Amino acid sequence: MNIADRAGRISNGPIHLLICATGVLTTHGQSPEKSLRQIDPEIMLSQFRVNAIGPALVAKHFLPQLDRRSRTAAVFLSARVGSITDNKKGGWISYRASKAALNQIVRTASIELARTHPNAVVTAMHPGTVRTPLSAPYSKGHPTVSPEEAATSILRALDRQTETGKFIAYDGSPIEW
C-alpha cells in the first residue's frame, strides 16, 4: 500500500498528531561518504527517496487531514547534520543533503499549511542520537538515548512548540537551517 492509499483509509476524523519517522543512513550496504570522491548517484538517489521524497509525500497526503479548528502538530524527524550552517566536518554528503532537503520541504509545507490550518505546528526535529541499528555504527563517543526516551523528548518538545516551520532539537532548542 502506498502513502496516498494509506492517507485515504483514515476515516475516523481529522488528525491531531502526525509523526513522520523515516530515515536511512547506510544504503545498499554502503556507509555514508567521507568525501566527494565517494559519491555514488544510486546511493544518493536512494537517500533522497527515503529521507526527502517519502516525507514529502507524507506531507502532501496527510497534512491536509490535520484538524483545522484545534491545535495540531506534525513532526518530521530530521538530523542535526542536515543543518547547512552547522556543517563543520563535511562528509556524509548524500545523507546531509537529503536531510537538508527534508528541512526545506518541512519549512515550505508549514508556510502553505498555515493558510488553511492556522493552529497547526509543523516542524523538523533532530531526535538526538537514538540507539537504533541506524545509528549504532556511528554513535561511538556520542551520548545516546533509548527509543523510548527519544519518543518522550520528541513529544515534550513538540508540545511546547508554538511556531510552525522551525527546525528544533529534541529538547526544543532551535537549530539553524
Side-chain angles (χ1 to χ4, degrees), residues 17 20 25 28 30 35 38 49 53-54 60-61 66 74 85 107 112 131 133 136 142 172:
L17 174 64
C20 181
L25 179 57
H28 305 297
Q30 296 289 327
S35 73
Q38 294 177 321
R49 278 188 182 118
I53 298 168
K60 173 184 178 180
H61 294 291
L66 291 175
T85 304
R107 177 73 176 142
E112 291 185 19
R131 287 188 297 272
H142 297 285

Side-chain angles (χ1 to χ4, degrees), residues 102-117:
L102 168 63
N103 293 343
Q104 181 65 274
I105 291 162
V106 170
R107 177 73 176 142
T108 301
S110 73
I111 292 167
E112 291 185 19
L113 193 70
R115 296 177 188 137
T116 57
H117 296 71

Side-chain angles (χ1 to χ4, degrees), residues 76-116:
F76 292 79
L77 296 190
S78 185
R80 187 175 296 276
V81 298
S83 166
I84 294 170
T85 304
D86 194 55
N87 185 354
K88 307 285 191 270
K89 295 183 178 182
W92 290 23
I93 297 145
S94 297
Y95 184 73
R96 285 180 187 276
S98 66
K99 288 298 189 173
L102 168 63
N103 293 343
Q104 181 65 274
I105 291 162
V106 170
R107 177 73 176 142
T108 301
S110 73
I111 292 167
E112 291 185 19
L113 193 70
R115 296 177 188 137
T116 57

Side-chain angles (χ1 to χ4, degrees), residues 21-165:
T22 60
V24 65
L25 179 57
T26 300
T27 307
H28 305 297
Q30 296 289 327
S31 296
E33 313 95 336
K34 292 184 180 181
S35 73
L36 288 168
R37 293 183 307 276
Q38 294 177 321
I39 290 177
D40 177 313
E42 290 305 315
I43 301 264
M44 184 175 264
L45 184 58
S46 182
Q47 290 275 343
F48 271 81
R49 278 188 182 118
V50 174
N51 295 331
I53 298 168
L57 293 174
V58 168
K60 173 184 178 180
H61 294 291
F62 283 92
L63 289 181
Q65 294 189 51
L66 291 175
D67 191 332
R68 291 174 186 253
R69 289 176 286 235
S70 62
R71 183 186 188 279
T72 58
V75 62
F76 292 79
L77 296 190
S78 185
R80 187 175 296 276
V81 298
S83 166
I84 294 170
T85 304
D86 194 55
N87 185 354
K88 307 285 191 270
K89 295 183 178 182
W92 290 23
I93 297 145
S94 297
Y95 184 73
R96 285 180 187 276
S98 66
K99 288 298 189 173
L102 168 63
N103 293 343
Q104 181 65 274
I105 291 162
V106 170
R107 177 73 176 142
T108 301
S110 73
I111 292 167
E112 291 185 19
L113 193 70
R115 296 177 188 137
T116 57
H117 296 71
N119 299 314
V121 173
V122 180
T123 191
M125 187 181 299
H126 167 62
T129 303
V130 183
R131 287 188 297 272
T132 65
L134 179 134
S135 64
Y138 311 100
S139 60
K140 291 178 185 161
H142 297 285
T144 62
V145 296
S146 71
E148 295 79 13
E149 291 168 312
T152 298
S153 295
I154 289 165
L155 293 174
R156 279 190 189 133
L158 193 56
D159 192 44
R160 291 189 313 262
Q161 191 65 26
T162 58
E163 290 184 71
T164 195

